Amino acid sequence: MDDEQAPVGIDPTIPSVARMYDYYLGGKDNFAADRRAAEDFMAAVPNVRAVARANRDFLRKAVTEIAGRGVRQFLDIGSGLPTQENVHQVAHRVVPDAQIVYVDNDPIVMSHGRALLEDNPHTVVVQADMREPKALLDHPEILARIDFDRPVAVLLVAMLHFVPDDDAAAAIVAAIREKLAPGSHLVISHGHLGTTSTEQQTRAKNTYRPTSAGPLTPRGPAHLAAYTDGLEVLEPGIVPVQAWRPEFEGDAEVDLSKPGILGVVARVP
Ligand code: SAM
């Protein structure tokens, strides 16, 4: 999109993490500043596009698995701009009347999501902020759709690395877990930078500094293990997203030295 096409109230010169991600995935809903920031990140971290696609594949596989286990409610926090194989499309293939609530804090995600879902009775988009999890979980539009006394799948896919403080990230997960009934599932994926050089890590983190979400905070397997401690972690555990139930030859390799996104799916016992 050209900057002149920016909706009223949107500053196209501030890179948005939703639109940068859209650019990684080959979408067209991004402005020049988003493309520049995304290209900077891609120069610092190789394979960003392949990793973003693998992250979407992970989301699809996780939602298919959880819907197959009979879960009928999905809360996708930080849903991003609509792309292919969004949660409602994947879940509805397995459970046609599953309730899907998308949450994001980006106004363009709101307008695109609402336009796409206008005629879908089982799916809504709600504007809320992950950094205020209690307010998010008590949001009337979410409570109108999601019954937390029954199993629900909560997705925090490529999200927690936008929370710089470790304790704050852990508190978000804790607030969500507190709300979940037995049989609920938590899906988390999280950026990590492996054993890349300090210089490369600093460059990668700083690329995100001027964005709508602030700097990137990569974390490793120990953090994901803490988020899911006490839950039943589904096979194959905490792995790079492409290695979570791999569909392509070669993806099963787990090399934590490489930058990428780690994924985990866990069930509340
Ligand atoms: N979850 C999708 C996926 O993994 O394919 C999209 C991930 S995209 C990298 C991150 C999304 O989170 C963006 O749409 C962004 O607007 C949203 N986001 C970032 N910080 C947020 C916050 N504090 N509250 C709600 N949404 C947020």
Side-chain angles (χ1 to χ4, degrees), residues 17-18 21 55-56 59 76-81 103-106 109 128-131 157-159 162 213:
V17 295
Y21 188 68
N55 185 55
R56 290 301 303 179
L59 177 146
D76 183 9
I77 301 178
S79 47
L81 282 156
V103 174
D104 209 285
N105 68 348
D106 186 308
V109 172
D129 198 313
M130 157 186 73
R131 290 165 298 188
V157 176
M159 285 302 290
F162 297 124

Side-chain angles (χ1 to χ4, degrees), residues 28-75:
K28 300 266 177 278
D29 295 321
N30 43 73
F31 298 112
D34 307 314
R35 295 189 282 274
R36 264 196 308 274
E39 288 287 348
D40 282 350
F41 189 66
M42 285 156 66
V45 181
N47 289 335
V48 175
R49 287 205 142 123
V51 168
R53 282 197 299 273
N55 185 55
R56 290 301 303 179
D57 287 342
F58 165 71
L59 177 146
R60 171 179 52 76
K61 288 182 280 183
V63 169
T64 305
E65 167 69 28
I66 296 167
R69 289 164 164 248
V71 174
R72 310 171 69 85
Q73 321 181 82
F74 292 81
L75 179 61

Side-chain angles (χ1 to χ4, degrees), residues 32 95 116 133 142 180 196 237:
V95 183
L116 176 77
I142 296 178
L180 297 181
T196 41

Side-chain angles (χ1 to χ4, degrees), residues 16-22 24-25 52 55-59 76-81 83-87 103-110 126-132 136 155-163 172 189 208 212-214 216 261:
S16 135
V17 295
R19 299 191 305 258
M20 288 169 69
Y21 188 68
D22 173 72
Y24 300 144
L25 291 171
N55 185 55
R56 290 301 303 179
D57 287 342
F58 165 71
L59 177 146
D76 183 9
I77 301 178
S79 47
L81 282 156
T83 174
Q84 288 173 357
E85 296 286 71
N86 301 293
V87 171
V103 174
D104 209 285
N105 68 348
D106 186 308
I108 293 201
V109 172
M110 290 298 113
V126 174
Q127 186 155 15
D129 198 313
M130 157 186 73
R131 290 165 298 188
E132 290 168 25
L136 187 155
L155 288 85
L156 284 170
V157 176
M159 285 302 290
L160 290 167
H161 46 232
F162 297 124
V163 183
I172 290 169
S189 79
Y208 271 80
S212 53
L216 200 68
I261 298 182

